[in-house]
Amino acid sequence: MLPVIALVGRPNVGKSTLFNRLTKSRDALVANYAGLTRDRKYGEAEIDGRKVLLVDTGGITGGEEGIDAAMAQQSMQAIEEADIVLFLVDSRDGLTPADEMIADRLRTRSKPTFLVANKVDGVNPDIALAPFYELGIGELFPTTATHGRGVRSLMQRVVEDLPEVAAEEEPEEATGIKIAIVGRPNVGKSTLVNRLLGEDRVVVYDQPGTTRDSVYINYERDEKPYTLIDTAGIRRRKNIKESVEKFSIVKTLQAVEDANVVVLVIDAREGLVDQDMHLMGSVIQAGRALVVALNKWDGLEADHRDYVKTELERRLRFVEFADVHFISALHGTGVGHLYESIEAAYQSATDKLSTNHLTRILQWAVSEHQPPLVHGHRIKLRYAHAGGQNPPVIVIHGNQTEQVPAHYVRYLEKTFRKALELHGTPVKIEFRTGDNPYAGKKNKLSDRQKAKKRRLMKFVKKKK
């Protein structure tokens, strides 16, 4: 196992900024906004040749209520998991009661702790740092995470206290299925993630917009590796007012691109709404395999269930390849069956397709339904081969392929999906038009052909 370093402190002291600098990424959202990070976020960093696992946490104030209490619980759990704790304080704000409360909690954990006084730019370090020595907890390091000031000297000292890890124990890169959980706010995405994991891994609270960042979680089930991606809920554009929420949407769309399979969570009590359709369209446009989960199905009356099923059948014809599950993330009803569809969708999206098989399917499709005529000439589709995976890309070669109409493309997609027995994944058709080998070349006649042409011309003149 990699050594674990947890970043803890009050809200808005620069934990996510330091996390991004150490991981050399922008995985954690950063804004001048207290309480932005709400779940534990993990990232890998390398310090002087040593790989470590960093944990970014939500802020702790000591007076948490409601969702803030859940955030604080996530932070305390990260401390329990960590080998080393970086306790961040704001040198501009000075020592606060919340800092003292966190220091008291850290003392009871007996974890190696380093006190990081962040945001020292523009202040007198001697004056700004003096109050923090009262905490008497760990060594004190002045830093400015935004510019990297003091970060290197801090981490060089931290690496000295890292526990030794045998090389063979270090984990390999995850090769399992990446599953993105997407949907509108407050439909139960984080509850579903926790149910799939079997633990309270992400913050769950009855308030829309609880999750603001995409959280990647590696785990194993039945000795198979998976990566769950809990994402922020996406609302209609007119309802998006906070700039932070706009960044969250970008993170969600990036998570969809990064995933192998997307589980779209829909609130069964509200039924299928336009925003669900827009999300589904984004997933299809990204070419990702799709599984639809109608959550909060328990407790619905029979009439409402029949209405929802009718609406699904009517409005989901363009994604008829996707499996639909009726679940209760809170109670676990039907959640286990999601894995069956996820496995099938991933298998279909990543199968290797042979050129011979694809060409035979194309020839059969053309014989059953000929391409249309264009300018009096029939479009000719000659052969097909695989052009990519996740989604399966089928490249078809022929003549005048740029003229193939949209309805015939849809016919080919359905034919290939049915013949290949693909489940849960869209199919992308690409066309290639072969160059005409005779274009721009003048036909050269033999002496015999020239003589025949002269006789034909004389015959035509006599007829006139």
Side-chain angles (χ1 to χ4, degrees), residues 13-294:
V13 294
K15 298 183 295 298
S16 295
T17 304
L18 182 59
F19 177 91
N20 286 344
R21 178 164 293 279
L22 294 176
T23 58
K24 298 179 181 179
S25 70
R26 294 185 179 179
D27 286 346
L29 288 181
V30 177
N32 187 22
Y33 186 99
L36 182 57
T37 302
R38 286 182 170 170
D39 300 300
R40 305 198 306 277
K41 186 169 188 67
Y42 293 81
E44 192 174 292
E46 186 170 331
I47 306 169
D48 291 343
R50 290 288 305 277
K51 288 186 177 180
V52 299
L53 197 62
L54 289 177
V55 187
D56 186 20
T57 66
I60 308 173
T61 62
E64 292 87 2
E65 295 180 359
I67 187 173
D68 292 333
M71 293 161 50
Q73 183 60 35
Q74 289 283 319
S75 300
M76 297 311 297
Q77 194 166 340
I79 293 172
E80 296 294 338
E81 295 175 354
D83 297 301
I84 291 177
V85 177
L86 299 186
F87 175 23
L88 275 76
V89 293
D90 191 329
S91 59
R92 296 178 183 175
D93 293 345
L95 184 62
T96 67
D99 294 327
E100 294 176 347
M101 179 275 300
I102 297 171
D104 290 339
R105 292 189 184 184
L106 290 174
R107 287 191 194 95
T108 63
R109 267 43 181 203
S110 300
K111 299 275 184 177
T113 302
F114 294 86
L115 186 57
V116 182
N118 196 29
K119 306 181 184 179
V120 295
D121 52 320
V123 298
N124 187 324
D126 295 332
I127 298 175
L129 301 182
F132 297 111
Y133 287 103
E134 297 177 15
L135 295 176
I137 179 170
E139 299 179 46
L140 181 58
F141 291 86
T143 63
T144 301
T146 51
H147 303 120
R149 177 182 173 185
V151 173
R152 180 167 178 77
S153 58
L154 163 67
M155 299 315 295
Q156 285 177 338
R157 176 62 187 87
V158 168
V159 78
E160 296 176 8
D161 283 6
L162 289 178
E164 292 297 326
V165 179
E168 61 269 25
E169 291 182 5
E170 292 195 4
E172 297 178 358
E173 260 186 53
T175 57
I177 304 174
K178 295 180 186 175
I179 309 167
I181 310 296
V182 304
R184 295 182 294 113
N186 211 32
V187 296
K189 299 183 297 298
S190 295
T191 304
L192 178 58
V193 168
N194 287 338
R195 177 63 63 177
L196 290 169
L197 292 171
E199 66 165 324
D200 292 338
R201 173 59 182 80
V202 292
V203 172
V204 178
Y205 195 68
D206 187 17
Q207 173 185 318
T210 303
T211 302
R212 286 188 172 141
D213 207 345
S214 297
V215 182
Y216 285 65
I217 308 162
N218 292 320
Y219 70 107
E220 286 190 2
R221 180 179 185 270
D222 296 334
E223 299 183 354
K224 290 183 179 179
Y226 296 91
T227 299
L228 270 180
I229 311 174
D230 185 23
T231 65
I234 298 183
R235 296 191 287 180
R236 296 179 64 183
R237 183 175 298 178
K238 71 174 186 177
N239 296 328
I240 300 171
K241 297 177 181 178
E242 296 182 14
S243 60
V244 167
E245 191 170 351
K246 296 178 182 178
F247 288 120
S248 298
I249 292 171
V250 172
K251 286 287 187 180
T252 297
L253 298 178
Q254 288 175 344
V256 169
E257 291 283 349
D258 192 32
N260 301 124
V261 181
V262 175
V263 177
L264 175 62
V265 184
I266 299 172
D267 191 332
R269 295 179 301 184
E270 298 181 12
L272 197 62
V273 300
D274 289 342
Q275 188 61 13
D276 294 324
M277 304 297 289
H278 292 317
L279 278 171
M280 214 171 293
S282 298
V283 174
I284 300 305
Q285 188 174 4
R288 294 298 168 256
L290 175 66
V291 177
V292 179
L294 267 84

Side-chain angles (χ1 to χ4, degrees), residues 313-386:
E313 187 176 347
R314 180 178 69 87
R315 302 186 69 183
L316 295 189
R317 291 186 179 180
F318 73 104
V319 287
E320 57 186 11
F321 56 83
D323 290 342
V324 179
H325 292 264
F326 304 94
I327 68 169
S328 170
L330 185 62
H331 301 111
T333 307
V335 172
H337 296 296
L338 287 175
Y339 282 103
E340 299 170 9
S341 296
I342 290 169
E343 290 281 356
Y346 177 73
Q347 186 67 34
S348 297
T350 57
D351 264 350
K352 292 184 178 180
L353 307 175
S354 71
T355 300
N356 286 341
H357 191 193
L358 293 177
T359 301
R360 284 198 298 269
I361 296 172
L362 174 64
Q363 291 171 347
W364 181 86
V366 170
S367 66
E368 289 292 311
H369 183 191
Q370 285 277 341
L373 292 170
V374 177
H375 305 306
H377 297 282
R378 180 78 64 184
I379 295 174
K380 293 182 180 179
L381 306 179
R382 303 189 184 281
Y383 69 96
H385 64 84

